[in-house]
Amino acid sequence: MKGHMDTNKGKISIDQNVLAKYAGICALECFGIVGMASVNMKHGIADLLSREHVKKGVRAVINDNKITVDFHIIVAYGVSIAVVAENLIDTVTYKIEEFTGLEVEKINIYVEGVRSLD
């Protein structure tokens, strides 16, 4: 599904894949996040994704012009997961709403792993 906005100059349509990639890039800028994770369900192993494939660790859904985002993240060792999650939610909500003009309804965070920054 796509997000739609009508303006006085025409209609704007935003694809969910665009939102997923944008949200993933925003997440990588947040404190304590090492990267996005792609979960290999066959082996139950979380793989760290490169910046080019960041949207594989993010799922964005637009329903009634409200956005829900699911993040699969890998956090840095020694940081508070609660602090990282709060920062991620606040940062991504603000940036997506400014980017799209649509409301972020919900952000779900799945911590798939911990990595040291060595």
Side-chain angles (χ1 to χ4, degrees), residues 3-14 65 99-102:
H4 299 283
M5 291 181 287
D6 291 317
T7 69
N8 60 350
K9 298 198 182 215
K11 188 175 189 175
I12 300 170
S13 180
I14 305 170
N65 280 340
F99 180 63
T100 65
L102 301 175

Side-chain angles (χ1 to χ4, degrees), residues 70-88:
D70 295 339
F71 288 100
H72 295 268
I73 63 170
I74 297 175
V75 297
Y77 175 79
V79 299
S80 167
I81 292 174
V83 171
V84 170
E86 184 178 336
N87 180 267
L88 175 62

Side-chain angles (χ1 to χ4, degrees), residues 61 66-70 89 93 103-108:
V61 177
K66 293 185 180 178
I67 303 167
T68 299
V69 184
D70 295 339
I89 290 167
T93 298
E103 178 186 346
V104 174
E105 182 175 36
K106 187 187 302 184
I107 294 181
N108 300 307

Side-chain angles (χ1 to χ4, degrees), residues 7-109:
T7 69
N8 60 350
K9 298 198 182 215
K11 188 175 189 175
I12 300 170
S13 180
I14 305 170
D15 189 86
Q16 294 176 152
N17 290 324
V18 171
L19 286 178
K21 185 160 189 169
Y22 184 77
I25 291 168
C26 292
L28 292 177
E29 296 171 357
C30 292
F31 166 79
I33 296 181
V34 175
M36 306 307 294
S38 173
V39 181
N40 182 340
M41 297 311 281
K42 184 176 180 182
H43 301 292
I45 299 170
D47 295 325
L48 185 63
L49 295 169
S50 66
R51 189 171 176 93
E52 293 80 34
H53 296 96
V54 72
K55 77 176 185 173
K56 291 183 181 178
V58 181
R59 181 173 174 255
V61 177
I62 305 169
N63 193 7
D64 294 327
N65 280 340
K66 293 185 180 178
I67 303 167
T68 299
V69 184
D70 295 339
F71 288 100
H72 295 268
I73 63 170
I74 297 175
V75 297
Y77 175 79
V79 299
S80 167
I81 292 174
V83 171
V84 170
E86 184 178 336
N87 180 267
L88 175 62
I89 290 167
D90 292 345
T91 300
V92 171
T93 298
Y94 173 77
K95 288 187 175 186
I96 287 179
E97 288 179 350
E98 285 293 308
F99 180 63
T100 65
L102 301 175
E103 178 186 346
V104 174
E105 182 175 36
K106 187 187 302 184
I107 294 181
N108 300 307
I109 300 170

